């Protein structure tokens, strides 16, 4: 599971800052398209990705009877560990809801931190009522099998155009969902925390009326002044 200190640090870092830090490392494709908060969120959510994958509906497989199969969304939910973020590849399909209120209620009961998908959910009011934080592309009445076939969980997926592997870290806030590759989590976290401190200081300089050239991005003189003030504490 995600180290508690890293999780706490990332909860203080915006997804905007993370995209900038990741961009500096050459990763441009880390923001999951279509994944927007279903309701306003007053806190940032961080967790390891637990992946689920749908493919296009095939009539012999995408049936209500498939919901009783061991290899189903129900089986996947029972495998989800506490604190994970369920990341669902729905291929951007918007006319079939991947989960409804009962499945989301079970996820909430198991301690799943959030649900993220490039698709949609159904039973919108009921899903909201479960209290499970959801990032998705809207709501739709039809069930998943109307447009999708569930195939597996805990394998690499594409969600919102982003490659997501089990164990990658997902950070969620009002600006959307951002992925941090598992191997880069410690260094990205450290750099992002420092970036937040620097930008907080820069905002203070803006409030004082300091012109932007040389301040943002900071030149060598500005960096030296920032470091000196940080040492003073």
């Amino acid at each position: 599971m995600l180290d508690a200190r890293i999780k706490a640090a990332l909860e203080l870092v915006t997804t905007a800052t993370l995209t900038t830090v990741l961009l500096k490392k050459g990763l441009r494709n880390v923001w999951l398209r279509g994944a927007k908060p279903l309701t306003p969120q007053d806190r940032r959510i961080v967790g390891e990705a637990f992946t689920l994958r749908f493919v296009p509906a095939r009539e012999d497989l995408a049936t209500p009877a498939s919901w009783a199969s061991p290899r189903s969304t129900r089986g996947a939910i029972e495998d989800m560990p506490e604190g994970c973020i369920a990341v669902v590849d729905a291929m951007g399909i918007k006319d079939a809801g991947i989960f409804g209120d009962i499945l989301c209620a079970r996820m909430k009961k198991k301690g799943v931190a959030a649900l993220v998908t490039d698709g949609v959910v159904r039973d919108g009011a009921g899903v909201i009522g479960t209290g499970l934080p959801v990032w998705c592309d809207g709501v739709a009445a039809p069930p998943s099998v109307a447009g999708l076939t569930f195939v597996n969980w805990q394998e690499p997926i594409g969600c919102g155009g982003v490659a997501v592997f089990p164990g990658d870290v997902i950070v969620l806030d009002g600006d959307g969902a951002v992925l941090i590759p598992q191997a880069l989590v410690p260094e990205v976290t450290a750099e992002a925390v420092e970036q937040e401190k620097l930008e907080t200081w820069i905002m203070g300089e803006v409030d004082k009326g300091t012109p932007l050239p040389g301040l943002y991005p900071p030149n060598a003189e500005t960096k030296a002044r920032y470091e000196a003030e940080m040492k003073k504490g």
Side-chain angles (χ1 to χ4, degrees):
M1 294 298 293
L2 183 61
D3 183 272
R5 291 170 297 180
I6 287 179
K7 181 176 182 291
L10 287 173
E11 286 172 346
L12 301 177
V13 177
T14 68
T15 55
T17 292
L18 287 171
T19 59
T20 300
V21 171
L22 288 162
L23 178 63
K24 291 177 180 177
K25 294 186 174 299
L27 287 100
R28 298 176 180 272
N29 191 31
V30 293
W31 183 75
L32 280 63
R33 300 160 189 82
K36 304 178 288 288
L38 185 60
T39 58
Q41 298 292 328
D42 59 1
R43 64 187 180 93
R44 191 163 293 108
I45 300 175
V46 180
E48 290 190 351
F50 183 100
T51 62
L52 300 89
R53 184 166 69 92
F54 284 89
V55 296
R58 206 178 80 182
E59 287 75 9
D60 62 325
L61 299 175
T63 66
S66 69
W67 294 332
S69 168
R71 188 165 297 282
S72 65
T73 51
R74 281 71 172 163
I77 288 171
E78 294 308 315
D79 259 4
M80 293 178 183
E82 182 177 357
C84 77
I85 293 179
V87 185
V88 184
D89 173 11
M91 304 179 300
I93 297 295
K94 297 184 183 181
D95 55 3
I98 58 161
F99 291 156
D101 52 359
I102 293 176
L103 272 63
C104 288
R106 178 58 179 156
M107 292 168 67
K108 177 68 174 178
K109 189 71 172 179
K110 284 180 62 67
V112 173
L115 166 64
V116 180
T117 182
D118 54 3
V120 299
V121 295
R122 62 194 304 241
D123 304 314
V127 168
I128 292 169
T130 68
L132 178 72
V134 175
W135 271 250
C136 64
D137 207 8
V139 296
S144 60
V145 294
L148 296 161
T149 300
F150 180 72
V151 289
N152 209 0
W153 64 91
Q154 285 298 75
E155 64 178 31
I157 62 169
C159 184
V162 177
V164 184
F165 287 71
D168 286 338
V169 169
I170 304 294
V171 180
L172 306 169
D173 64 17
D175 287 353
V178 169
L179 174 142
I180 307 173
Q182 187 176 34
L184 298 180
V185 169
E187 62 184 281
V188 167
T189 300
E191 292 179 28
V193 167
E194 179 55 36
Q195 182 73 20
E196 287 280 345
K197 291 178 181 177
L198 173 60
E199 292 193 2
T200 297
W201 179 83
I202 288 173
M203 186 63 78
E205 292 297 300
V206 170
D207 288 342
K208 295 175 185 176
T210 305
L212 289 177
L215 176 66
Y216 186 67
N219 57 21
E221 180 182 347
T222 298
K223 287 181 181 178
R225 188 156 58 89
Y226 163 72
E227 291 169 1
E229 291 191 20
M230 290 300 102
K231 288 178 181 177
K232 292 178 182 177

